Amino acid sequence: MKKKLKLVIWPIIYLVLIINVCISFILVFRSYYFRSIFVSGSSMEPTLHGQVGERVDYGIIDDHNTAISRIKRFQIITTYYPFPGTSDYVDGYSHGGDNVLNENDASYKIKRVYALPNETIKFTIDDEMFLEAKKKKSEGDQWGAQAQDFAQRSIKVSIRAKNSDKFVEQKIKFKRRIDIAKIEEYRDFEYECQEDEYWVMGDNYAASSDCFSKRAPIYRDNIVGVLVAIEGTCKIDAHIDPDSTVDGTKVTYQCKQRKRHFPTYY
């Protein structure tokens, strides 16, 4: 009986040990290979949650050059903006440079890639869907599911590849938040990305500071990393350091009171 018991118990013990070793290896690999980030702001609603005063999403990005060099359309990235005159402008930013802010800073943005280098992006309006969206808006239901469905379908995104004269409409499988009053702004807007330029936007078309609102692209050196997964939610704790900058306005942020959930991979 004892021999039979040992034959059962020892394999279980070995299995538990192997599982613990594997989990430990994964956690160590995750800590050293990936970089932690959290969502600050509502520009990626409804995909990612970062509303000030509420629990926000946090996760990990891959900031290695191999990941950045393989960015695909509609992937979510973290980036610094090269737009002078904005609070998140980093003068002379280059990836890996001395002026890269640490991971507790929220001055980088989380956006979705629409157009890659040497591509031309074009927005057009489906007037039939636009009319239905405006009808729902007039009924006071701008943010309802049906109104937003019409609004999303009214803005079409097309891409023209380098050395091509044909635009190809893109199938957009993610949800967007559209301000129906601003749909007309997208009509026949077009931008041609140069060799090192990317066109990025937030999923929240209603309130996102991005390439469309600035009418300008970002550059490869502005890209910090590619979103791998959202792992949970946390509370943002802000700390003002009056001695950190010349004008005394630097604010650093920390992701506290973390609550993990099953990762959502991107």
Side-chain angles (χ1 to χ4, degrees):
M1 183 66 182
K2 287 184 178 180
K3 284 185 177 182
K4 289 184 178 180
L5 194 59
K6 286 181 180 181
L7 289 174
V8 174
I9 291 177
W10 281 110
I12 293 175
I13 293 174
Y14 288 138
L15 180 61
V16 171
L17 288 173
I18 291 171
I19 291 173
N20 285 335
V21 169
C22 290
I23 291 174
S24 299
F25 175 79
I26 291 170
L27 291 176
V28 170
F29 176 80
R30 175 239 178 267
S31 298
Y32 284 95
Y33 190 83
F34 296 116
R35 178 174 173 181
S36 297
I37 58 99
F38 59 87
V39 182
S40 176
S42 60
S43 68
M44 281 299 291
E45 296 281 359
T47 307
L48 303 178
H49 185 64
Q51 191 66 40
V52 176
E54 299 180 16
R55 295 194 67 84
V56 304
D57 291 328
Y58 77 86
I60 51 176
I61 61 170
D62 189 340
D63 61 354
H64 295 83
N65 283 327
T66 51
I68 294 173
S69 64
R70 297 173 182 171
I71 288 174
K72 297 178 181 178
R73 190 178 341 280
F74 297 142
Q75 277 191 303
I76 298 173
I77 65 167
T78 56
T79 178
Y80 289 97
Y81 279 169
F83 308 140
T86 61
S87 59
D88 45 81
Y89 176 62
V90 181
D91 190 19
Y93 174 82
S94 61
H95 189 72
D98 293 335
N99 55 359
V100 177
L101 306 181
N102 67 51
E103 69 177 32
N104 291 329
D105 288 308
S107 58
Y108 58 76
K109 305 297 181 182
I110 301 178
K111 303 296 175 184
R112 194 183 295 272
V113 175
Y114 276 70
L116 303 168
N118 298 315
E119 292 184 338
T120 302
I121 184 170
K122 183 177 182 180
F123 296 89
T124 54
I125 304 300
D126 183 319
D127 287 311
E128 183 179 351
M129 294 296 102
F130 186 22
L131 185 63
E132 292 295 330
K134 288 195 292 184
K135 182 179 178 181
K136 289 295 178 182
K137 182 177 183 294
S138 67
E139 296 171 355
D141 190 32
Q142 163 152 259
W143 305 112
Q146 195 171 35
Q148 282 296 294
D149 180 57
F150 286 130
Q152 291 176 42
R153 290 160 62 190
S154 67
I155 300 178
K156 305 291 185 180
V157 179
S158 298
I159 297 293
R160 185 178 66 198
K162 184 180 180 181
N163 300 324
S164 173
D165 57 358
K166 183 180 180 181
F167 280 95
V168 179
E169 185 179 329
Q170 304 299 302
K171 291 183 179 180
I172 297 180
K173 299 179 181 180
F174 53 89
K175 294 291 185 181
R176 295 171 288 170
R177 181 172 291 176
I178 311 291
D179 184 342
I180 295 173
K182 296 181 179 180
I183 289 178
E184 192 64 48
E185 297 177 9
Y186 293 84
R187 186 181 296 278
D188 297 327
F189 178 84
E190 187 175 320
Y191 184 85
E192 182 178 352
C193 293
Q194 300 304 306
E195 187 173 353
D196 63 340
E197 295 179 346
Y198 293 77
W199 190 268
V200 302
M201 294 171 57
D203 289 356
N204 188 358
Y205 283 29
S208 175
S209 175
D210 53 31
C211 289
F212 185 82
S213 66
K214 299 296 183 181
R215 302 299 197 274
I218 65 165
Y219 305 96
R220 187 187 188 283
D221 282 345
N222 298 123
I223 299 173
V224 180
V226 181
L227 182 64
V228 176
I230 292 296
E231 300 179 313
T233 63
C234 67
K235 283 279 190 178
I236 297 178
D237 179 57
H239 172 68
I240 300 175
D241 184 356
D243 300 320
S244 59
T245 58
V246 175
D247 60 6
T249 57
K250 184 180 177 69
V251 181
T252 58
Y253 302 85
Q254 290 185 322
C255 190
K256 295 186 174 181
Q257 301 178 35
R258 299 192 181 199
K259 290 184 179 179
R260 297 183 68 90
H261 58 57
F262 192 81
T264 302
Y265 292 95
Y266 291 88

